[in-house]
Amino acid sequence: MKRLYFIFLVFALLTLTGVRVHSQTADLIIPVPQEIRLSDGFYTFTDSPEIKTVRLKEGKVAAEGYILEISPKRVTIKASDDAGEFYAHQTLRQMSRNGQVKSLQCCTITDSPRFGYRGLHFDVSRHFRSLDFLKKQADAMAMYKMNRMHLHLTDAAGWRIQIDAYPRLTEFAAWRPQVTWKEWWNGDRAYAEEGTPGIYGGYYTKEEMRELVEYARERHIEVLPEIEMPSHSEEVFAAYPELGCSNEPYKDCDFCVGSEKTFEFLETVLSEVMEIFPHEYIHIGGDEAGKGRWKTCPQCQQRMREEGLKDVDELQSYLIRRIEKFVNSKGRKIIGWDEILEGGLAPDATVMSWRGTEGGIEAMRQGHDVIMSPGKYCYLDHAQDAPFKEPESIGGYLPLENVYGYEPVEASMPSESIHHLIGVQANLWTEYITTDEHAEYMYWPRALAIAETGWSRPEAKDYADFKGRVMTALDMLRSMGYSTFDLENEYGERKLAQTGMAHKAVGAAVTYNIPINKSYPGSGETTLTDGVIGGWTYSDGRWQGFLSDIDVTLDLGEVVPVHYVGGSFMQLTGPYVFMPKKVEIFVSEDGDNFTRIAEVWNDVSQRTEELVFRNFDTICDVKARFVRYKAESSGVHGGWIFLDEIIVN
Ligand code: ACM
């Protein structure tokens, strides 16, 4: 009776203090621990709580793992390393809601991570972030047992780290007239002299970066610096034009691989970077190189002849291999985005797979370590809820549930290579994310999903349970001053996309008079007649994308009365998705003789920045077995049109 009274008291106290009450304090932990064994009784924190630490021999508990024993008298932490001990404290911290809950249910928690690399990425080039912001995120990362902070320090939008040998990188290439990336990108993409009134930008001094490295180290986080090469380097050529193929500012985006000056620059920069960041890995970028100028640049062509390189992919590989050799000579290793596979992978490189997982799987096959960060699950720059209620973003739709749904081990991975899968990372590119508050909002809670995927056993993952734990975590994060997404009021997927739709063309065979584009096939030839309406994003497998016109013929199987024909399109101009210029609709009873029953012109402006859905349709009163639906491309060079369903009633 006494105990019941006590439990009631704790419950009442927590309710009164506004703390979300859960049946057990241990079952709110993120990432979910390997094993929780509950026992009788409660441990109550005093002003000087008795926490006993026992250091076990190496191997007794897995690396970074711990055993946390909570008995009525004391808390005991057993670990084989400092990280394990630290993580036991993070678990305790979560159980006590950062000290708000004074009484913990007794239990024994045995825990260790699934992967050694659990990363979060910070794009500080597109928009600069303060050192305090990075420290604050490191605090949250540590609480959820994330251990790699990837800093994207250099990109066209600004160079962000002091390099003594090349001062123009921070005197000039770190500053721009416009605050927002969007205005800068849509404008002249110019840089500005440091100190010019009203300019935007910034960089970290070496001292500040050392301070961050130390701050993160205390929280068992390694800071991974990324220096982009050979591309995403327009800011470098604005400051040092001789490093690009044209030798002129504002012309190049790729380093000239034929020039020795490029290697002198990169090796000098990397040497200074390695003096600041003491950890094993240096990220050398490697993504999205255009390589176009290399085809005509005399120095690049000469390099290719001298080195026997058959194409520009091999020229990129030459650069990466040479840089790898240099980095290895300093006792470090390189990580690169999956494009570094092109032209041949450098011998000891680790691959960060972002364009999907195929690159990562191929690298594993070749015996390389891999960090998985596929855009479909790990790119937190996509909107996390219905785009109409979210801040402007790069597009897409990646709610918490989808991030959580990512399972890094795939059936197609050779079992003997699985050990090369060393971890996972969530990335936040910040083109559309100007403020710190907005960045935090995009990270939390979705970073928690990656934290759990990186730490917990896949069998232990359960979204409904996770979501409950996240609600509590968000309460705690908000109470600590973080801006977070409002998960409680999540709108969710487009309603039409959730319910499906019955109509006369469901199951109808579709003839593509113009072939499907391989990049966005949707779910293949049944996409347009499967009764499934597309969701918030054109990449959800329900939309079919065309760079050409669309011209399809539907066979309804028999002649039926037709009163409505319509196709639904989306427009999102950021990623170049537009409405068709017009649609024409034809019907036929025999498949040979078609009658045009409608011509529908687009009335959605191509200047509209928001996501728009529009039916190109007609009401009619005809009999038909065949319906031909033709949509004319938008007229924008390189623009897509996306259609999800052709509805016949
Ligand atoms: C990337 O998203 N370009 C790595």
Side-chain angles (χ1 to χ4, degrees), residues 38 86-87 162 243 294 321 387 409 414 467 500 511 514 572 588:
L38 298 174
F86 178 79
Y87 289 138
Q162 176 191 350
L243 299 171
W294 295 350
R321 285 169 192 261
V409 173
K467 189 173 174 183
T511 302
I514 295 173
L572 187 64
S588 165

Side-chain angles (χ1 to χ4, degrees), residues 580-593:
K581 201 178 271 175
K582 70 166 183 183
V583 159
E584 289 175 282
I585 301 168
F586 306 81
V587 292
S588 165
E589 291 193 20
D590 59 9
D592 289 326
N593 302 297

Side-chain angles (χ1 to χ4, degrees), residues 367-408:
H368 292 254
D369 283 349
V370 165
I371 297 147
M372 283 297 184
S373 191
K376 187 175 171 192
Y377 298 99
C378 300
Y379 269 43
L380 307 186
D381 44 334
H382 295 308
Q384 64 194 310
D385 201 358
F388 69 79
K389 69 173 271 285
E390 289 302 291
E392 186 182 10
S393 75
I394 201 154
Y397 173 55
L398 184 57
L400 179 68
E401 183 166 8
N402 291 19
V403 182
Y404 192 72
Y406 179 49
E407 168 45 42

Side-chain angles (χ1 to χ4, degrees), residues 228 232 287-288 337 339 354 379 427 429:
E228 271 278 17
H232 282 280
D287 57 321
E288 299 183 307
W337 300 109
E339 286 92 331
W354 72 279
Y379 269 43
N427 298 335
W429 302 99

Side-chain angles (χ1 to χ4, degrees), residues 49-65:
E50 191 180 338
I51 298 181
K52 192 170 159 216
T53 303
V54 180
R55 184 52 60 92
L56 300 178
K57 273 210 191 99
E58 204 179 306
K60 278 273 183 200
V61 178
E64 302 183 276

Side-chain angles (χ1 to χ4, degrees), residues 221-256:
I221 295 170
E222 293 184 10
V223 182
L224 171 69
E226 180 184 354
I227 303 296
E228 271 278 17
M229 65 190 78
S231 197
H232 282 280
S233 298
E234 288 88 336
E235 84 289 19
V236 175
F237 312 125
Y240 296 98
E242 65 274 21
L243 299 171
C245 295
S246 73
N247 285 298
E248 287 179 55
Y250 299 105
K251 282 267 171 74
D252 297 299
C253 41
D254 302 340
F255 280 93
C256 175

Side-chain angles (χ1 to χ4, degrees), residues 272-446:
E272 292 197 27
V273 165
M274 284 187 276
E275 279 172 18
I276 302 167
F277 300 92
H279 305 296
E280 184 180 21
Y281 287 114
I282 302 294
H283 200 305
I284 51 79
D287 57 321
E288 299 183 307
K291 305 172 191 167
R293 279 185 190 266
W294 295 350
K295 291 177 182 158
T296 52
C297 166
Q299 282 182 285
C300 287
Q301 288 299 307
Q302 189 183 341
R303 175 82 75 195
M304 287 172 66
R305 278 192 302 276
E306 282 171 8
E307 298 291 333
L309 307 172
K310 74 172 190 304
D311 56 26
V312 289
D313 286 344
E314 291 195 359
L315 186 60
Q316 167 167 298
S317 176
Y318 167 84
L319 174 130
I320 303 291
R321 285 169 192 261
R322 203 169 143 181
I323 292 298
E324 179 182 65
K325 221 180 211 169
F326 176 75
V327 171
N328 288 167
S329 76
K330 306 282 180 195
R332 311 293 187 86
K333 291 180 170 177
I334 64 163
I335 297 181
W337 300 109
D338 55 72
E339 286 92 331
I340 67 170
L341 280 146
E342 293 161 8
L345 204 43
D348 202 25
T350 294
V351 169
M352 194 170 264
S353 195
W354 72 279
R355 291 179 298 176
T357 56
E358 299 79 8
I361 295 171
E362 177 53 31
M364 287 165 68
R365 273 205 188 94
Q366 294 181 25
H368 292 254
D369 283 349
V370 165
I371 297 147
M372 283 297 184
S373 191
K376 187 175 171 192
Y377 298 99
C378 300
Y379 269 43
L380 307 186
D381 44 334
H382 295 308
Q384 64 194 310
D385 201 358
F388 69 79
K389 69 173 271 285
E390 289 302 291
E392 186 182 10
S393 75
I394 201 154
Y397 173 55
L398 184 57
L400 179 68
E401 183 166 8
N402 291 19
V403 182
Y404 192 72
Y406 179 49
E407 168 45 42
V409 173
E410 295 178 40
S412 60
M413 287 176 177
S415 55
E416 67 279 9
S417 311
I418 295 285
H419 65 281
H420 282 302
L421 177 55
I422 63 169
V424 290
Q425 178 171 293
N427 298 335
L428 182 64
W429 302 99
T430 61
E431 284 89 343
Y432 294 89
I433 302 171
T434 305
T435 66
D436 288 359
E437 291 72 25
H438 186 183
E440 275 182 4
Y441 174 92
M442 300 300 268
Y443 283 121
W444 311 109
R446 289 181 297 175

